[in-house]
Every structure is written in C-alpha cells, then in structure tokens.
C-alpha cells in the first residue's frame, strides 16, 4: 500500500504556551524550535506574533534560524495580526500564516457578536490578505467541531478559493468523539467542491482525554495534517500529544495509510527539554515519554520480555530516544568541549558573556557532581537564560538551619532592584521558611499554586529541578530553578516566578475576540 505523508504541525510553542504558566522566553523557544527541527516536524507554529513584543521576537528569531521546517505564526482574521505575523516571518525560508475565526453558532453569537455572513466575509478577506504576504496560508474554523455542517462547507470552499492551502477544523473545546469527529472530517472532504485543492488538518484538545483518538480517527477519514504538541502540552487539558500520534501511525502501519517524516530518536530528548523549560513534569505513566512507559514491573512481563521482546513490547525504548542520555562532560572538560556539546544540543548564546556565565555555572556544577549529562546541561542553560529576564529579585546567599525539634530558619540575602537586603524567617519546613523569608521582603500578594521537585538525572547527587507556580490577579507563571541543593533551587524558582510576574503579559489569541 502506498502511504500518504501525514504532515506533523507542532504547536508546542503557541498552543502549548497557552497552558497557564508555560510561557517561554525567546531563547527558550529557539532551543525548542531547534529540537523540533531535528525531530523533523514539518511545521513549527512558533507563536502568535501580535500578542507581545516578546512573542514577535521569538517568532522572528525562529523564522531567521530554522531551515528545514516551515515556520508559522498565528493571526486572528484581522489586518494588524496578519501584517504582524508576516513581518515576524520575513526571514523564514518557508513561512506560513495561520489565520482563524470562530464559526460555531455559540462563538459567533456570544464571542464575536457577528452574523455568519460577516464571519464568512472576514475569513475570505483575511485569507486573501495573508496570501498577498506569504505563499502558504492555513485557515482554521475555530470551534470547527461544533460548527453547522452547511456553514462549514461554505466557509471552507470560500477560504480555499481565496488561497488557503490548508484547512484546519479544530475541536477547540475537546467535545468531539472519535467516530463522530472522524466522520465529520470525511464528510467535509466529500462535500466541499474544491476540497482537492487543500490539505485538511485537525487540531484536537484533550478535555475528555480524546485528543489523540479524535485526531487518528480524522486521519482514517482523510485528514493529512495533525496539529499536536510535545507531551500533549496546551490550553486547559492540552492538545493531542505528538509522540502518541507519530508512534500510533508508525506502530499500527496496518491501520493507518500514512507515514510521517519524524525522526523518532529525538522524541524523548525533546520531551525532556519541553518539560524542563516549561516546568510541566511528564507523568510517569505517560505513553512513550513517561518514565514507566517501557518499564516492565511484573515478573511475568519481565520473563516474557527476556525470552522474546515482542511478547509484551510493541515499540523499542531506544528507538524513541530512551537511553540517549550519555555522560558527556566532567570536571576536567574545558570551554571548547562545553561549547561543542551545547552546539550539538542546538543551544547557542547571543553573546560571549552569556556563554561565559553558562561555563562558570557548568564548572560550579562539575565540582559538585562528577558526571554531567545532557539533561544537566539543558537545566543549566535554562537557569542561565532565565536570568536574562529583567532581574528585579536575585538570590545572593542563603543559609538554612533545620534541626529536629526546632522550627527551620532561613536567612537570605537578596538583591532587590540592585539593593542588597537581608531577611530571616522561620517556617514549618525548610522550603516554607525560605518562601516566608522572600515574602517578608517582597509581599507579592500571590497565591502559591504548585511546588514540585524533579530529579534531572538519576542518583542522589542529581540536580533537583524545582517549579514554583504563582498566581496573581488571574495571571499564572511558572518559576524554575535547578541546583544540586534543592533548597537553593527552591529559592531561585520562587524568585524567578516573581521576576516573571513583573514582566508584561501578552494577548490570548482566542479569548480576545476580534
Ligand atoms: O483550539 C483552537 O481552536 C486553536 C485555534 C486557534 C487553531 O488553537
Ligand atoms: Zn487550540
């Protein structure tokens, strides 16, 4: 059977970033984009250029750097968004503008307060404008799965006539059910007269845990682009997980008439990188990329696997990049070895000073930890890059005393807007004492929503990567810190979150109706 190409459109840097607290800096996005290129995704949705100057810069940097994947920016179906997207994409070898407008009755009436005819007209003008600026335009019918069939057909036909080469039918609220959603895609492809002039795409949210199943059902019914994210990151319950889609069509070749161009050996390293940068840990039982995904706990399974692997394993752990974490560097490694390993990981710095700061951190780490893995380097670079934010607060020194029978006490020296300040506090535990000390000084009026620690690698000398999620007036940020001392990492993560809160927020593409 000849196979069609299934286009993998990764939206980790756009929809993934819409997860509360997952916002990333330009350099973090660039690191992920380089890894997505190595993974050989077809399209990288790099952001929503008009949402903030930072997002514009991130889309631009990715467009200027990536050569093998198409780089895409989201734009609402209005002139300023589309022009801003085109501006950010100017340097791209292959650029795509992804423009969208809601087409379901509920969204048109309450969010847009527009009549269907107006929506249709606006969609057509947006696609035409975008096509005048770039050759590759995707149009999405937001809330497509709840859009009336006849209206969807009219909008799609008009958008294709206006020049859209890809038509995306999102299941925006994760309401779809596999059989029904797949059938809808199949019927649209049959009913739209010019359907053969466009690729049909799907974009499923996971509110009912059906995002991957819905996407695969659509593939069986003719969709040839799937929009997905690494680790299933995304708005609310997330998007369809890239790794699951890719491995499903590959493992069940007998069922799916498609193949992807993905280099699956980069799946696990990319998953780890996204988790480390966003502070969203991967659950251990997550398919493909969870720590237990290939662990055979029970004796019967182990015996079977040892006798004949296929008895219980349908995929090979090493094929998707498990075990790729090598000891790469140690105490004696010099600056050249350090820089060359970073280059292999797709990491570069804008200035020599940043490289020098990263190298200094590496030396400190190598003094405490004998074996430095790729994951350690990624965490270290995240640390260094997180300090590129305007640093209102930074940790200078810290002493924590924790004795049985006594309340732990934290004594911190923190620089606030350049002034060195000292603060002491007691708490229920050592971490509590540190956070109380910081709050005594800062009085941020935030709510602590999450505190989590993950070991970057194995063993007790591993670095602890701490995530602190703070909420203030509805805005959520994830601060991160990594260190072999989890208390230091905790203080850094808390201060990083506070620094994020003082940076300007950005526009949400779907909540700000046009
Ligand atoms: O979920 C959705 O509908 C989206 C669109 C902007 C494509 O993210
Ligand atoms: Zn979405």
């Amino acid at each position: 059977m000849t196979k069609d190409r299934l286009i993998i459109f990764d939206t980790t840097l756009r929809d993934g970033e819409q997860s509360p607290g997952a916002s990333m800096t330009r350099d973090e996005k660039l690191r992920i984009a380089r890894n997505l290129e190595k993974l050989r995704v077809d399209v990288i949705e790099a952001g929503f250029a008009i949402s903030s100057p930072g997002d514009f810069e991130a889309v631009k940097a990715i467009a200027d750097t990536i050569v093998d994947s198409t780089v895409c920016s989201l734009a609402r179906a209005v002139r300023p968004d589309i022009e801003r997207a085109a501006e950010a994409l100017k340097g791209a070898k292959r650029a795509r503008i992804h423009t969208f407008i809601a087409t379901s009755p509920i969204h048109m009436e309450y969010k847009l307060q527009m009549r269907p005819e107006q929506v249709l007209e606006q969609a057509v003008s947006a696609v035409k404008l975008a096509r005048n600026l770039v050759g590759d335009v995707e149009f999405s019918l937001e809330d497509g799965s709840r859009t009336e069939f006849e209206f969807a057909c009219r909008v799609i036909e008009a958008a294709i006539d206006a020049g859209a080469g890809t038509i995306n039918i999102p299941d925006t609220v994760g309401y779809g059910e596999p059989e029904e959603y797949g059938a809808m895609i199949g019927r649209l492809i049959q009913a739209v007269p010019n359907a053969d002039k466009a690729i049909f795409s799907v974009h499923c949210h996971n509110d009912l845990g059906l995002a991957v199943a819905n996407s695969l059902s659509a593939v069986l019914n003719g969709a040839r682009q799937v929009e997905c994210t690494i680790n299933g990151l995304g708005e609310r319950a997330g998007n369809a997980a890239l790794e699951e889609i890719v491995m499903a069509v590959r493992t069940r070749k007998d069922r799916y008439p498609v193949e992807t161009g993905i280099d699956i050996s980069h799946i696990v390293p990319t998953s780890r990188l996204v988790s480390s940068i966003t502070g969203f840990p991967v659950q251990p039982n997550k398919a493909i990329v969870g720590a237990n995904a290939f662990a055979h706990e029970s004796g019967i399974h182990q015996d079977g696997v040892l006798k004949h692997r296929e008895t219980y394993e349908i995929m090979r752990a090493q094929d998707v990049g498990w075990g790729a974490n090598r000891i790469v560097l140690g105490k004696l490694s010099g600056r050249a070895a350090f820089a060359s390993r970073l280059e292999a990981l797709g990491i570069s710095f804008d200035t020599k000073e940043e490289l020098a700061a990263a190298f200094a951190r590496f030396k400190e780490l190598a003094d405490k930890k004998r074996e430095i893995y790729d994951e350690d380097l990624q965490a270290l670079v995240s640390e260094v890059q997180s300090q590129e934010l305007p640093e209102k607060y930074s940790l200078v020194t810290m002493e924590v005393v924790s004795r049985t029978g006594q309340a732990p006490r934290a004594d911190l020296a923190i620089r606030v807007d350049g002034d060195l300040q000292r603060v002491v506090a007691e708490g229920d535990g050592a971490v509590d004492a540190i956070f109380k000390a910081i709050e005594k000084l800062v009085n941020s009026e935030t709510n602590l929503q999450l505190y989590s620690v993950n070991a970057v690698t194995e063993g007790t000398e591993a670095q602890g990567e701490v995530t602190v999620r703070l909420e203030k007036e509805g805005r959520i940020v994830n601060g991160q810190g990594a260190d072999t001392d989890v208390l230091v990492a905790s203080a850094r993560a808390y201060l990083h979150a506070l620094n994020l809160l003082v940076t300007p927020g950005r526009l949400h593409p779907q909540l700000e109706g046009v």
Side-chain angles (χ1 to χ4, degrees), residues 14-15 18 170 172 203 205 235 239 510:
R14 197 277 297 171
D15 213 321
Q18 287 174 215
T172 301
H203 171 115
H205 280 272
E235 184 90 38
N239 288 65
Q510 290 158 278

Side-chain angles (χ1 to χ4, degrees), residues 139-279:
F139 174 72
S140 280
L141 294 82
E142 192 194 2
D143 207 16
S145 59
R146 295 193 298 174
T147 295
E148 284 173 355
F149 189 77
E150 299 308 326
F151 185 57
C153 290
R154 285 180 59 212
V155 175
I156 294 171
E157 184 182 354
I160 296 173
D161 273 345
T166 305
I167 296 293
N168 184 38
I169 328 282
D171 182 25
T172 301
V173 292
Y175 182 73
E177 178 280 328
E179 210 175 306
E180 167 202 65
Y181 182 68
M184 179 189 181
I185 302 299
R187 276 178 69 212
L188 285 171
I189 295 173
Q190 290 299 317
V192 172
N194 52 2
D196 59 320
K197 303 207 167 50
I199 300 280
F200 278 65
S201 163
V202 289
H203 171 115
C204 296
H205 280 272
N206 206 29
D207 300 67
L208 293 171
L210 294 172
V212 169
N214 285 335
S215 307
L216 292 173
S217 172
V219 169
L220 288 175
N221 283 280
R224 289 296 176 264
Q225 173 175 287
V226 171
E227 302 196 356
C228 44
T229 58
I230 302 293
N231 301 337
L233 198 69
E235 184 90 38
R236 304 182 309 279
N239 288 65
L242 178 148
E243 59 278 6
E244 295 178 22
I245 302 279
V246 168
M247 292 312 290
V249 300
R250 188 185 156 102
T251 307
R252 295 305 309 269
K253 289 187 179 69
D254 55 324
R255 295 282 304 154
Y256 297 101
V258 292
E259 60 195 1
T260 73
I262 295 295
D263 176 349
I264 62 169
S265 67
H266 287 288
I267 286 180
V268 170
T270 311
S271 156
R272 291 196 168 184
L273 178 66
V274 169
S275 167
S276 146
I277 285 180
T278 58

